[in-house]
Amino acid sequence: MKEFEKKLRLRMYLGFSFTTFMIIANIIVLNSVYKNIYSGFVMGMFSGIAAIGFILALQARSALRDQEKKRALYVEENDERAIRIGEKSSKFTVIFILLGNLIAGAIVLFFYPVIGFTMIGISVETAILSLASTFYYGKKL
Amino acid sequence: METKLPELRKAMRITQQDLADGVGVTRQTISSIESGKYIASLPLAYKLAKYFGLTIEEVFDLSEEEEF
């Protein structure tokens, strides 16, 4: 439980730092001379990230103050069935993202080569990362 | 894999939530183990057996599992 407390404390600091950083980024975008039609979208993205960071930080802070909440959160995050579900679903998700991106990239390549190559590049990078992590965990476990 | 968890729980008059709290998992995990959808890991099987003061073999029956 001590390790989990450390994790929660780190999560709280990171969450609050991220929120602050995103608010500052929003202020910079708002006052930027390069403001264009996409600025609103960028600010919306930053606000979304800030909100997620803030919620995670608040959750961690509340768990750190209440023993029962901390235990409940620990069980929720370390439940072996939930971990197994996550492992299984992420494996399929990666495969489908990879295939979808490859097919979309190949189609887009005909019309917009730069975008098509970028998408194929992302697919290759995802495949390399997936293979590298499989190799790493194959050695580690 | 067959399990005697429902019978053991009933005998002790405890709910799935009580058992889940006792071994540090969610109620859904206990429910899945009881219905045979999920096979508990060795550490969890040990914790469950220990909770009832029994051995793993007394709580879980592996005789119907396919042998290689």
Side-chain angles (χ1 to χ4, degrees):
Chain A
M1 210 51 117
K2 285 268 169 217
E3 281 300 306
F4 187 60
E5 259 178 40
K6 273 187 201 168
K7 215 176 174 182
L8 283 177
R9 211 155 273 135
L10 180 71
R11 196 181 297 174
M12 187 178 74
Y13 293 135
L14 279 177
F16 283 134
S17 309
F18 243 87
T19 308
T20 314
F21 182 69
M22 288 296 127
I23 291 168
I24 294 167
N26 255 353
I27 294 167
I28 292 169
V29 173
L30 192 67
N31 296 301
S32 169
V33 286
Y34 301 107
K35 231 167 101 176
N36 56 30
I37 53 164
Y38 304 112
S39 298
F41 177 74
V42 172
M43 284 174 71
M45 289 277 285
F46 285 165
S47 302
I49 296 168
I52 293 168
F54 191 63
I55 291 165
L56 285 176
L58 279 184
Q59 187 192 38
R61 197 179 74 155
S62 126
L64 277 168
R65 287 179 172 182
D66 187 332
Q67 199 66 26
E68 269 305 302
K69 278 184 187 170
K70 186 167 67 186
R71 197 179 182 280
L73 192 64
Y74 179 81
V75 168
E76 195 185 307
E77 290 186 13
N78 292 280
D79 179 58
E80 64 169 53
R81 180 174 157 270
I83 293 170
R84 185 117 171 82
I85 291 169
E87 284 168 358
K88 282 223 167 202
S89 63
S90 63
K91 203 173 170 184
F92 277 106
T93 310
V94 168
I95 291 168
F96 280 108
I97 287 175
L98 195 66
L99 282 176
N101 220 9
L102 264 179
I103 294 165
I107 296 166
V108 170
L109 202 60
F110 284 105
F111 310 102
Y112 305 103
V114 175
I115 299 172
F117 279 122
T118 307
M119 288 176 83
I120 291 169
I122 291 168
S123 304
V124 172
E125 186 239 354
T126 311
I128 290 169
L129 266 178
S130 179
L131 282 174
S133 62
T134 306
F135 180 75
Y136 172 74
Y137 286 111
K139 288 271 174 200
K140 200 181 170 192
L141 298 173
Chain B
M1 185 165 70
E2 291 277 315
T3 172
K4 289 180 190 131
L5 283 180
E7 292 93 320
L8 291 167
R9 269 197 313 104
K10 268 175 204 158
M12 275 182 78
R13 289 184 183 172
I14 55 165
T15 62
Q16 288 183 338
Q17 188 63 58
D18 296 331
L19 181 56
D21 289 340
V23 295
V25 293
T26 59
R27 189 199 57 78
Q28 287 85 350
T29 300
I30 299 296
S31 170
S32 291
I33 293 169
E34 286 188 359
S35 61
K37 284 186 203 161
Y38 178 70
I39 298 173
S41 67
L42 185 60
L44 180 57
Y46 178 75
K47 276 186 200 171
L48 287 165
K50 201 178 166 194
Y51 184 92
F52 292 107
L54 300 167
T55 62
I56 292 176
E57 291 91 333
E58 284 170 323
V59 180
F60 297 99
D61 181 16
L62 281 155
S63 60
E64 283 181 21
E65 287 293 300
E66 194 180 336
E67 282 184 26
F68 292 99

